[in-house]
Amino acid sequence: APGAPQQNGLAERRNQHLFCVARSLLLHASMSAGFWPEALEHAAYLVNTLPSKRRGAVSPFSKWHGQKPNVLKLRVFGCLAFAQPATLSPSK
């Protein structure tokens, strides 16, 4: 059927790539499939932030925003993290 997502080869390959990256993240972190949405979101972020040889060592983020992305906040998927409660300021 014309216009069906299944007929769009480029979109299907990109979706397959995202699913493979997300699956790899879950396997590497030894996490359950319950974290699939978070893994897929992290995979999309990585694909859009990191440069690739195919794009000439330029990331989609760089092309869109015209500047290099800040990769200092990247962490290993599934690493131990602690939430810090917000401190309430005293009311006046």
Side-chain angles (χ1 to χ4, degrees), residues 8-22 40 43-44 47-48 54-55 60:
N8 189 345
L10 180 63
E12 287 298 315
R13 282 191 301 274
R14 289 190 179 169
N15 284 341
Q16 184 179 10
H17 176 66
L18 282 176
F19 292 157
C20 286
V21 171
L40 195 57
V47 168
N48 288 326
R54 186 166 191 222
R55 295 185 198 103

Side-chain angles (χ1 to χ4, degrees), residues 14-35:
R14 289 190 179 169
N15 284 341
Q16 184 179 10
H17 176 66
L18 282 176
F19 292 157
C20 286
V21 171
R23 195 175 307 115
S24 297
L25 289 170
L26 286 173
L27 287 173
H28 183 265
S30 300
M31 297 176 77
S32 69
F35 290 98

Side-chain angles (χ1 to χ4, degrees), residues 28-29 31 74-82:
H28 183 265
M31 297 176 77
L74 288 179
R75 299 290 182 260
V76 175
F77 182 77
C79 67
L80 183 62
F82 298 97

Side-chain angles (χ1 to χ4, degrees), residues 41-72:
E41 184 179 356
H42 193 74
Y45 183 81
L46 288 175
V47 168
N48 288 326
T49 304
L50 300 176
S52 72
K53 286 183 182 179
R54 186 166 191 222
R55 295 185 198 103
V58 177
S59 68
F61 182 92
S62 298
K63 284 195 170 226
W64 184 262
H65 295 286
Q67 62 185 6
K68 289 184 177 182
N70 182 8
V71 294
L72 295 176

